[in-house]
Amino acid sequence: PSSFVMIILIHLCLVIKAYCRNGNPQKAEEMLQELEKVCEPDVMSMAVCLDAWAKVVDGYDSAIERAEVLLDRIIYKYRMGLVGPKEKH
């Protein structure tokens, strides 16, 4: 991807993390889905959303379901070779 696209992707990841930190996993996952339209998000962005769903207290049952769906997506993408651990340079 071009450097401009990389800058946009980095900003989207930062927005995802910000929504998660502020207790809004639903909005974070919406941003993650927008990111997926452009490229495969890194495992960390997906894990941040998963962690945010895990911290939900109100609506706990639906949060568990959303976390499970997201975890299933991560596992599927890993098995397909679309995401994986970052290589050390």
Side-chain angles (χ1 to χ4, degrees):
S2 71
S3 57
F4 177 74
V5 171
M6 290 303 295
I7 291 170
I8 298 300
L9 296 177
I10 290 168
H11 281 90
L12 275 174
C13 290
L14 291 173
V15 170
I16 289 169
K17 289 178 184 178
Y19 278 124
C20 290
R21 279 192 211 114
N22 288 314
N24 194 342
Q26 186 171 16
K27 190 67 177 170
E29 191 171 350
E30 288 173 15
M31 295 300 297
L32 183 66
Q33 290 169 353
E34 289 299 316
L35 181 60
E36 287 177 317
K37 292 177 184 177
V38 179
C39 69
E40 286 299 329
D42 64 331
V43 174
M44 289 306 296
S45 295
M46 297 175 84
V48 166
C49 287
L50 184 62
D51 183 58
W53 280 116
K55 293 178 180 173
V56 169
V57 177
D58 294 332
Y60 183 75
D61 290 336
S62 62
I64 289 174
E65 290 174 17
R66 291 301 317 146
E68 287 177 349
V69 168
L70 184 55
L71 181 59
D72 288 342
R73 280 175 37 208
I74 294 170
I75 292 169
Y76 172 79
K77 288 175 183 249
Y78 176 78
R79 288 183 177 157
M80 297 302 293
L82 300 173
V83 297
K86 290 186 177 182
E87 294 181 17
K88 293 184 179 180
H89 297 279

